[in-house]
Amino acid sequence: DAGVIQSPRHEVTEMGQEVTLRCKPISGHNSLFWYRQTMMRGLELLIYFNNNVPIDDSGMPEDRFSAKMPNASFSTLKIQPSEPRDSAVYFCASSYRGGATGELFFGEGSRLTVL
Amino acid sequence: GNSVTQMEGPVTLSEEAFLTINCTYTATGYPSLFWYVQYPGEGLQLLLKATKADDKGSNKGFEATYRKETTSFHLEKGSVQVSDSAVYFCALVQGGSEKLVFGKGTKLTVNP
């Protein structure tokens, strides 16, 4: 079975541009998580969805960040406008029994560089 | 709030050496505990878990025991291989929550 698929793997953009990161979870998984990884702050949970519904977005740093999950097989994380401090690796993860199990399947990440 | 503290890295070992990576946690109640591993250029993978006190999680020669009295979940392996070189993350999820909280990660390099 295919794992969690993220695109793009690498994105270099200039400050002020819009960035859209995409995620396809594992088929049959009903929970989806977006994490951000930086050297300074480690792994931070940004937002998670259960059955396509956003449950907790308290980790979204500010209004420039938004996430959607229009159906069970697709999610996006958008940054508009982007800033250099948004440079990080963004991971999407899915789970078939919800986050309470702690058993998440991660994608390979999208490395974002904002110049 | 809930938090996980891991030993600072990086850790460099020779092949066949014994590995310990320390992890302690702060949580209310009784969380479930996990170790994840991230190989270069990849996403995190679940390595092992323990859901209650005194449970031992094990996988691929790695072990960790849930110690409630010391709030610890140290990762051990008796004989590391070059292929074990990766970043290791300790994590917890609080009962009733769906938010997995990670430590900062410990980078392990194993030299031949």
Side-chain angles (χ1 to χ4, degrees), chain A residues 58-90:
Chain A
S58 59
M60 296 285 260
E62 45 196 278
D63 291 346
R64 297 184 298 106
F65 285 71
S66 62
K68 294 182 179 179
M69 191 165 186
N71 57 62
S73 58
F74 184 65
S75 177
T76 59
L77 178 68
K78 186 174 293 187
I79 309 172
Q80 166 64 16
S82 58
E83 297 183 2
R85 59 191 167 125
D86 302 330
S87 298
V89 181
Y90 291 82

PDB file of all heavy atoms in Angstrom, chain A residues 58-90:
ATOM      1  N   SER A  58      -5.262  24.923  17.248  1.00  0.00           N
ATOM      2  CA  SER A  58      -4.613  25.841  18.184  1.00  0.00           C
ATOM      3  C   SER A  58      -3.117  25.986  17.924  1.00  0.00           C
ATOM      4  O   SER A  58      -2.491  26.939  18.380  1.00  0.00           O
ATOM      5  CB  SER A  58      -4.843  25.390  19.637  1.00  0.00           C
ATOM      6  OG  SER A  58      -4.328  24.088  19.835  1.00  0.00           O
ATOM      7  N   GLY A  59      -2.535  25.064  17.173  1.00  0.00           N
ATOM      8  CA  GLY A  59      -1.117  25.149  16.859  1.00  0.00           C
ATOM      9  C   GLY A  59      -0.801  25.967  15.623  1.00  0.00           C
ATOM     10  O   GLY A  59       0.378  26.234  15.347  1.00  0.00           O
ATOM     11  N   MET A  60      -1.805  26.390  14.898  1.00  0.00           N
ATOM     12  CA  MET A  60      -1.577  27.213  13.708  1.00  0.00           C
ATOM     13  C   MET A  60      -1.022  28.554  14.184  1.00  0.00           C
ATOM     14  O   MET A  60      -1.671  29.257  14.969  1.00  0.00           O
ATOM     15  CB  MET A  60      -2.872  27.407  12.932  1.00  0.00           C
ATOM     16  CG  MET A  60      -3.429  26.102  12.385  1.00  0.00           C
ATOM     17  SD  MET A  60      -2.517  25.498  10.980  1.00  0.00           S
ATOM     18  CE  MET A  60      -3.600  26.053   9.662  1.00  0.00           C
ATOM     19  N   PRO A  61       0.160  28.920  13.694  1.00  0.00           N
ATOM     20  CA  PRO A  61       0.854  30.076  14.283  1.00  0.00           C
ATOM     21  C   PRO A  61       0.129  31.405  14.121  1.00  0.00           C
ATOM     22  O   PRO A  61       0.173  32.229  15.015  1.00  0.00           O
ATOM     23  CB  PRO A  61       2.218  30.074  13.583  1.00  0.00           C
ATOM     24  CG  PRO A  61       2.080  29.180  12.422  1.00  0.00           C
ATOM     25  CD  PRO A  61       0.963  28.253  12.668  1.00  0.00           C
ATOM     26  N   GLU A  62      -0.509  31.629  13.035  1.00  0.00           N
ATOM     27  CA  GLU A  62      -1.210  32.896  12.843  1.00  0.00           C
ATOM     28  C   GLU A  62      -2.141  32.772  11.645  1.00  0.00           C
ATOM     29  O   GLU A  62      -2.209  31.735  10.992  1.00  0.00           O
ATOM     30  CB  GLU A  62      -0.208  34.030  12.657  1.00  0.00           C
ATOM     31  CG  GLU A  62       0.931  33.731  11.730  1.00  0.00           C
ATOM     32  CD  GLU A  62       2.079  34.702  11.873  1.00  0.00           C
ATOM     33  OE1 GLU A  62       2.007  35.788  11.284  1.00  0.00           O
ATOM     34  OE2 GLU A  62       3.045  34.356  12.579  1.00  0.00           O
ATOM     35  N   ASP A  63      -2.868  33.866  11.389  1.00  0.00           N
ATOM     36  CA  ASP A  63      -3.902  33.828  10.355  1.00  0.00           C
ATOM     37  C   ASP A  63      -3.349  33.605   8.956  1.00  0.00           C
ATOM     38  O   ASP A  63      -4.107  33.302   8.039  1.00  0.00           O
ATOM     39  CB  ASP A  63      -4.715  35.134  10.367  1.00  0.00           C
ATOM     40  CG  ASP A  63      -5.565  35.252  11.611  1.00  0.00           C
ATOM     41  OD1 ASP A  63      -5.727  34.220  12.304  1.00  0.00           O
ATOM     42  OD2 ASP A  63      -6.054  36.350  11.892  1.00  0.00           O
ATOM     43  N   ARG A  64      -2.072  33.741   8.788  1.00  0.00           N
ATOM     44  CA  ARG A  64      -1.486  33.498   7.464  1.00  0.00           C
ATOM     45  C   ARG A  64      -1.558  32.023   7.093  1.00  0.00           C
ATOM     46  O   ARG A  64      -1.419  31.668   5.934  1.00  0.00           O
ATOM     47  CB  ARG A  64      -0.030  33.963   7.446  1.00  0.00           C
ATOM     48  CG  ARG A  64       0.157  35.455   7.680  1.00  0.00           C
ATOM     49  CD  ARG A  64       1.632  35.854   7.560  1.00  0.00           C
ATOM     50  NE  ARG A  64       2.478  35.212   8.545  1.00  0.00           N
ATOM     51  CZ  ARG A  64       3.332  34.216   8.283  1.00  0.00           C
ATOM     52  NH1 ARG A  64       3.435  33.742   7.053  1.00  0.00           N
ATOM     53  NH2 ARG A  64       4.072  33.695   9.243  1.00  0.00           N
ATOM     54  N   PHE A  65      -1.765  31.182   8.097  1.00  0.00           N
ATOM     55  CA  PHE A  65      -1.815  29.737   7.877  1.00  0.00           C
ATOM     56  C   PHE A  65      -3.270  29.274   7.835  1.00  0.00           C
ATOM     57  O   PHE A  65      -4.087  29.679   8.684  1.00  0.00           O
ATOM     58  CB  PHE A  65      -1.107  29.000   9.010  1.00  0.00           C
ATOM     59  CG  PHE A  65       0.391  29.070   8.954  1.00  0.00           C
ATOM     60  CD1 PHE A  65       1.058  30.252   9.220  1.00  0.00           C
ATOM     61  CD2 PHE A  65       1.140  27.937   8.667  1.00  0.00           C
ATOM     62  CE1 PHE A  65       2.447  30.316   9.171  1.00  0.00           C
ATOM     63  CE2 PHE A  65       2.531  27.990   8.630  1.00  0.00           C
ATOM     64  CZ  PHE A  65       3.183  29.179   8.886  1.00  0.00           C
ATOM     65  N   SER A  66      -3.576  28.415   6.867  1.00  0.00           N
ATOM     66  CA  SER A  66      -4.900  27.805   6.811  1.00  0.00           C
ATOM     67  C   SER A  66      -4.780  26.384   6.289  1.00  0.00           C
ATOM     68  O   SER A  66      -3.846  26.072   5.545  1.00  0.00           O
ATOM     69  CB  SER A  66      -5.842  28.623   5.926  1.00  0.00           C
ATOM     70  OG  SER A  66      -5.371  28.659   4.595  1.00  0.00           O
ATOM     71  N   ALA A  67      -5.682  25.530   6.697  1.00  0.00           N
ATOM     72  CA  ALA A  67      -5.669  24.135   6.258  1.00  0.00           C
ATOM     73  C   ALA A  67      -7.086  23.701   5.933  1.00  0.00           C
ATOM     74  O   ALA A  67      -8.035  24.120   6.594  1.00  0.00           O
ATOM     75  CB  ALA A  67      -5.062  23.229   7.317  1.00  0.00           C
ATOM     76  N   LYS A  68      -7.169  22.843   4.925  1.00  0.00           N
ATOM     77  CA  LYS A  68      -8.470  22.314   4.522  1.00  0.00           C
ATOM     78  C   LYS A  68      -8.353  20.816   4.274  1.00  0.00           C
ATOM     79  O   LYS A  68      -7.282  20.301   3.966  1.00  0.00           O
ATOM     80  CB  LYS A  68      -8.967  23.005   3.244  1.00  0.00           C
ATOM     81  CG  LYS A  68      -9.279  24.470   3.406  1.00  0.00           C
ATOM     82  CD  LYS A  68      -9.799  25.051   2.101  1.00  0.00           C
ATOM     83  CE  LYS A  68     -10.136  26.528   2.261  1.00  0.00           C
ATOM     84  NZ  LYS A  68     -10.633  27.123   0.998  1.00  0.00           N
ATOM     85  N   MET A  69      -9.480  20.156   4.394  1.00  0.00           N
ATOM     86  CA  MET A  69      -9.551  18.739   4.040  1.00  0.00           C
ATOM     87  C   MET A  69     -10.899  18.526   3.356  1.00  0.00           C
ATOM     88  O   MET A  69     -11.884  18.152   4.008  1.00  0.00           O
ATOM     89  CB  MET A  69      -9.394  17.848   5.255  1.00  0.00           C
ATOM     90  CG  MET A  69      -9.190  16.402   4.889  1.00  0.00           C
ATOM     91  SD  MET A  69      -8.585  15.429   6.272  1.00  0.00           S
ATOM     92  CE  MET A  69      -8.308  13.871   5.428  1.00  0.00           C
ATOM     93  N   PRO A  70     -10.973  18.767   2.058  1.00  0.00           N
ATOM     94  CA  PRO A  70     -12.254  18.701   1.351  1.00  0.00           C
ATOM     95  C   PRO A  70     -12.828  17.299   1.231  1.00  0.00           C
ATOM     96  O   PRO A  70     -14.040  17.146   1.075  1.00  0.00           O
ATOM     97  CB  PRO A  70     -11.918  19.280  -0.021  1.00  0.00           C
ATOM     98  CG  PRO A  70     -10.446  19.100  -0.174  1.00  0.00           C
ATOM     99  CD  PRO A  70      -9.869  19.194   1.199  1.00  0.00           C
ATOM    100  N   ASN A  71     -11.959  16.289   1.316  1.00  0.00           N
ATOM    101  CA  ASN A  71     -12.444  14.907   1.281  1.00  0.00           C
ATOM    102  C   ASN A  71     -11.450  14.016   1.993  1.00  0.00           C
ATOM    103  O   ASN A  71     -10.379  14.468   2.433  1.00  0.00           O
ATOM    104  CB  ASN A  71     -12.678  14.444  -0.160  1.00  0.00           C
ATOM    105  CG  ASN A  71     -11.432  14.570  -1.015  1.00  0.00           C
ATOM    106  OD1 ASN A  71     -10.429  13.935  -0.738  1.00  0.00           O
ATOM    107  ND2 ASN A  71     -11.509  15.400  -2.044  1.00  0.00           N
ATOM    108  N   ALA A  72     -11.768  12.741   2.082  1.00  0.00           N
ATOM    109  CA  ALA A  72     -10.964  11.821   2.897  1.00  0.00           C
ATOM    110  C   ALA A  72      -9.594  11.533   2.305  1.00  0.00           C
ATOM    111  O   ALA A  72      -8.747  10.942   2.975  1.00  0.00           O
ATOM    112  CB  ALA A  72     -11.724  10.517   3.084  1.00  0.00           C
ATOM    113  N   SER A  73      -9.359  11.949   1.056  1.00  0.00           N
ATOM    114  CA  SER A  73      -8.103  11.577   0.425  1.00  0.00           C
ATOM    115  C   SER A  73      -7.216  12.771   0.084  1.00  0.00           C
ATOM    116  O   SER A  73      -6.229  12.624  -0.653  1.00  0.00           O
ATOM    117  CB  SER A  73      -8.379  10.767  -0.844  1.00  0.00           C
ATOM    118  OG  SER A  73      -9.171  11.512  -1.731  1.00  0.00           O
ATOM    119  N   PHE A  74      -7.534  13.936   0.640  1.00  0.00           N
ATOM    120  CA  PHE A  74      -6.752  15.099   0.255  1.00  0.00           C
ATOM    121  C   PHE A  74      -6.828  16.197   1.308  1.00  0.00           C
ATOM    122  O   PHE A  74      -7.908  16.509   1.825  1.00  0.00           O
ATOM    123  CB  PHE A  74      -7.266  15.634  -1.088  1.00  0.00           C
ATOM    124  CG  PHE A  74      -6.484  16.779  -1.654  1.00  0.00           C
ATOM    125  CD1 PHE A  74      -5.166  16.607  -2.049  1.00  0.00           C
ATOM    126  CD2 PHE A  74      -7.059  18.030  -1.789  1.00  0.00           C
ATOM    127  CE1 PHE A  74      -4.435  17.661  -2.577  1.00  0.00           C
ATOM    128  CE2 PHE A  74      -6.339  19.099  -2.326  1.00  0.00           C
ATOM    129  CZ  PHE A  74      -5.030  18.914  -2.724  1.00  0.00           C
ATOM    130  N   SER A  75      -5.680  16.807   1.570  1.00  0.00           N
ATOM    131  CA  SER A  75      -5.635  17.949   2.480  1.00  0.00           C
ATOM    132  C   SER A  75      -4.598  18.941   1.976  1.00  0.00           C
ATOM    133  O   SER A  75      -3.614  18.558   1.320  1.00  0.00           O
ATOM    134  CB  SER A  75      -5.273  17.515   3.898  1.00  0.00           C
ATOM    135  OG  SER A  75      -5.166  18.626   4.766  1.00  0.00           O
ATOM    136  N   THR A  76      -4.816  20.212   2.263  1.00  0.00           N
ATOM    137  CA  THR A  76      -3.846  21.247   1.919  1.00  0.00           C
ATOM    138  C   THR A  76      -3.533  22.100   3.144  1.00  0.00           C
ATOM    139  O   THR A  76      -4.372  22.306   4.015  1.00  0.00           O
ATOM    140  CB  THR A  76      -4.380  22.177   0.816  1.00  0.00           C
ATOM    141  OG1 THR A  76      -5.600  22.784   1.261  1.00  0.00           O
ATOM    142  CG2 THR A  76      -4.624  21.424  -0.474  1.00  0.00           C
ATOM    143  N   LEU A  77      -2.312  22.584   3.163  1.00  0.00           N
ATOM    144  CA  LEU A  77      -1.871  23.579   4.141  1.00  0.00           C
ATOM    145  C   LEU A  77      -1.363  24.776   3.335  1.00  0.00           C
ATOM    146  O   LEU A  77      -0.474  24.632   2.497  1.00  0.00           O
ATOM    147  CB  LEU A  77      -0.757  23.024   5.026  1.00  0.00           C
ATOM    148  CG  LEU A  77      -0.163  23.981   6.058  1.00  0.00           C
ATOM    149  CD1 LEU A  77      -1.186  24.308   7.139  1.00  0.00           C
ATOM    150  CD2 LEU A  77       1.091  23.368   6.701  1.00  0.00           C
ATOM    151  N   LYS A  78      -1.979  25.927   3.578  1.00  0.00           N
ATOM    152  CA  LYS A  78      -1.657  27.107   2.790  1.00  0.00           C
ATOM    153  C   LYS A  78      -1.051  28.186   3.678  1.00  0.00           C
ATOM    154  O   LYS A  78      -1.524  28.403   4.811  1.00  0.00           O
ATOM    155  CB  LYS A  78      -2.918  27.631   2.103  1.00  0.00           C
ATOM    156  CG  LYS A  78      -2.692  28.784   1.142  1.00  0.00           C
ATOM    157  CD  LYS A  78      -3.986  29.145   0.404  1.00  0.00           C
ATOM    158  CE  LYS A  78      -4.417  28.052  -0.530  1.00  0.00           C
ATOM    159  NZ  LYS A  78      -5.581  28.473  -1.375  1.00  0.00           N
ATOM    160  N   ILE A  79      -0.042  28.849   3.169  1.00  0.00           N
ATOM    161  CA  ILE A  79       0.568  29.990   3.862  1.00  0.00           C
ATOM    162  C   ILE A  79       0.500  31.181   2.916  1.00  0.00           C
ATOM    163  O   ILE A  79       1.002  31.133   1.796  1.00  0.00           O
ATOM    164  CB  ILE A  79       2.045  29.718   4.231  1.00  0.00           C
ATOM    165  CG1 ILE A  79       2.187  28.386   4.973  1.00  0.00           C
ATOM    166  CG2 ILE A  79       2.588  30.853   5.100  1.00  0.00           C
ATOM    167  CD1 ILE A  79       3.631  27.951   5.194  1.00  0.00           C
ATOM    168  N   GLN A  80      -0.171  32.229   3.370  1.00  0.00           N
ATOM    169  CA  GLN A  80      -0.355  33.408   2.535  1.00  0.00           C
ATOM    170  C   GLN A  80      -0.479  34.650   3.403  1.00  0.00           C
ATOM    171  O   GLN A  80      -1.439  34.753   4.174  1.00  0.00           O
ATOM    172  CB  GLN A  80      -1.604  33.244   1.663  1.00  0.00           C
ATOM    173  CG  GLN A  80      -2.133  34.494   0.986  1.00  0.00           C
ATOM    174  CD  GLN A  80      -1.171  35.090  -0.036  1.00  0.00           C
ATOM    175  OE1 GLN A  80      -0.235  34.450  -0.460  1.00  0.00           O
ATOM    176  NE2 GLN A  80      -1.413  36.325  -0.396  1.00  0.00           N
ATOM    177  N   PRO A  81       0.451  35.589   3.319  1.00  0.00           N
ATOM    178  CA  PRO A  81       1.702  35.545   2.571  1.00  0.00           C
ATOM    179  C   PRO A  81       2.792  34.836   3.370  1.00  0.00           C
ATOM    180  O   PRO A  81       2.769  34.823   4.598  1.00  0.00           O
ATOM    181  CB  PRO A  81       2.044  37.030   2.434  1.00  0.00           C
ATOM    182  CG  PRO A  81       1.499  37.641   3.691  1.00  0.00           C
ATOM    183  CD  PRO A  81       0.241  36.852   4.019  1.00  0.00           C
ATOM    184  N   SER A  82       3.737  34.249   2.682  1.00  0.00           N
ATOM    185  CA  SER A  82       4.813  33.530   3.365  1.00  0.00           C
ATOM    186  C   SER A  82       5.887  34.502   3.859  1.00  0.00           C
ATOM    187  O   SER A  82       6.066  35.599   3.303  1.00  0.00           O
ATOM    188  CB  SER A  82       5.434  32.490   2.424  1.00  0.00           C
ATOM    189  OG  SER A  82       5.938  33.118   1.253  1.00  0.00           O
ATOM    190  N   GLU A  83       6.579  34.087   4.931  1.00  0.00           N
ATOM    191  CA  GLU A  83       7.660  34.870   5.522  1.00  0.00           C
ATOM    192  C   GLU A  83       8.863  33.958   5.744  1.00  0.00           C
ATOM    193  O   GLU A  83       8.698  32.736   5.869  1.00  0.00           O
ATOM    194  CB  GLU A  83       7.217  35.480   6.847  1.00  0.00           C
ATOM    195  CG  GLU A  83       6.074  36.459   6.721  1.00  0.00           C
ATOM    196  CD  GLU A  83       5.689  37.101   8.043  1.00  0.00           C
ATOM    197  OE1 GLU A  83       6.342  36.808   9.069  1.00  0.00           O
ATOM    198  OE2 GLU A  83       4.726  37.906   8.046  1.00  0.00           O
ATOM    199  N   PRO A  84      10.070  34.535   5.811  1.00  0.00           N
ATOM    200  CA  PRO A  84      11.268  33.698   6.012  1.00  0.00           C
ATOM    201  C   PRO A  84      11.174  32.798   7.249  1.00  0.00           C
ATOM    202  O   PRO A  84      11.677  31.674   7.226  1.00  0.00           O
ATOM    203  CB  PRO A  84      12.387  34.736   6.147  1.00  0.00           C
ATOM    204  CG  PRO A  84      11.928  35.879   5.294  1.00  0.00           C
ATOM    205  CD  PRO A  84      10.428  35.934   5.507  1.00  0.00           C
ATOM    206  N   ARG A  85      10.517  33.249   8.314  1.00  0.00           N
ATOM    207  CA  ARG A  85      10.431  32.427   9.532  1.00  0.00           C
ATOM    208  C   ARG A  85       9.520  31.223   9.350  1.00  0.00           C
ATOM    209  O   ARG A  85       9.428  30.380  10.251  1.00  0.00           O
ATOM    210  CB  ARG A  85       9.938  33.266  10.709  1.00  0.00           C
ATOM    211  CG  ARG A  85       8.580  33.901  10.516  1.00  0.00           C
ATOM    212  CD  ARG A  85       8.306  34.907  11.611  1.00  0.00           C
ATOM    213  NE  ARG A  85       7.168  35.759  11.301  1.00  0.00           N
ATOM    214  CZ  ARG A  85       6.126  35.904  12.113  1.00  0.00           C
ATOM    215  NH1 ARG A  85       6.087  35.288  13.272  1.00  0.00           N
ATOM    216  NH2 ARG A  85       5.130  36.703  11.778  1.00  0.00           N
ATOM    217  N   ASP A  86       8.836  31.121   8.230  1.00  0.00           N
ATOM    218  CA  ASP A  86       8.025  29.937   7.935  1.00  0.00           C
ATOM    219  C   ASP A  86       8.864  28.797   7.366  1.00  0.00           C
ATOM    220  O   ASP A  86       8.356  27.681   7.180  1.00  0.00           O
ATOM    221  CB  ASP A  86       6.908  30.278   6.937  1.00  0.00           C
ATOM    222  CG  ASP A  86       6.004  31.382   7.431  1.00  0.00           C
ATOM    223  OD1 ASP A  86       5.835  31.510   8.670  1.00  0.00           O
ATOM    224  OD2 ASP A  86       5.463  32.119   6.590  1.00  0.00           O
ATOM    225  N   SER A  87      10.126  29.065   7.088  1.00  0.00           N
ATOM    226  CA  SER A  87      11.011  28.033   6.543  1.00  0.00           C
ATOM    227  C   SER A  87      11.107  26.879   7.533  1.00  0.00           C
ATOM    228  O   SER A  87      11.444  27.078   8.710  1.00  0.00           O
ATOM    229  CB  SER A  87      12.393  28.607   6.252  1.00  0.00           C
ATOM    230  OG  SER A  87      12.329  29.627   5.270  1.00  0.00           O
ATOM    231  N   ALA A  88      10.802  25.679   7.051  1.00  0.00           N
ATOM    232  CA  ALA A  88      10.728  24.498   7.928  1.00  0.00           C
ATOM    233  C   ALA A  88      10.432  23.290   7.056  1.00  0.00           C
ATOM    234  O   ALA A  88      10.211  23.409   5.845  1.00  0.00           O
ATOM    235  CB  ALA A  88       9.622  24.663   8.972  1.00  0.00           C
ATOM    236  N   VAL A  89      10.400  22.121   7.689  1.00  0.00           N
ATOM    237  CA  VAL A  89       9.877  20.925   7.033  1.00  0.00           C
ATOM    238  C   VAL A  89       8.475  20.699   7.575  1.00  0.00           C
ATOM    239  O   VAL A  89       8.280  20.642   8.805  1.00  0.00           O
ATOM    240  CB  VAL A  89      10.757  19.688   7.280  1.00  0.00           C
ATOM    241  CG1 VAL A  89      10.167  18.480   6.545  1.00  0.00           C
ATOM    242  CG2 VAL A  89      12.190  19.934   6.817  1.00  0.00           C
ATOM    243  N   TYR A  90       7.524  20.569   6.682  1.00  0.00           N
ATOM    244  CA  TYR A  90       6.137  20.366   7.063  1.00  0.00           C
ATOM    245  C   TYR A  90       5.767  18.903   6.793  1.00  0.00           C
ATOM    246  O   TYR A  90       5.912  18.414   5.675  1.00  0.00           O
ATOM    247  CB  TYR A  90       5.223  21.309   6.281  1.00  0.00           C
ATOM    248  CG  TYR A  90       5.422  22.750   6.695  1.00  0.00           C
ATOM    249  CD1 TYR A  90       6.465  23.505   6.181  1.00  0.00           C
ATOM    250  CD2 TYR A  90       4.574  23.342   7.634  1.00  0.00           C
ATOM    251  CE1 TYR A  90       6.671  24.817   6.589  1.00  0.00           C
ATOM    252  CE2 TYR A  90       4.763  24.652   8.047  1.00  0.00           C
ATOM    253  CZ  TYR A  90       5.814  25.380   7.522  1.00  0.00           C
ATOM    254  OH  TYR A  90       6.012  26.675   7.936  1.00  0.00           O
TER     255      TYR A  90
END
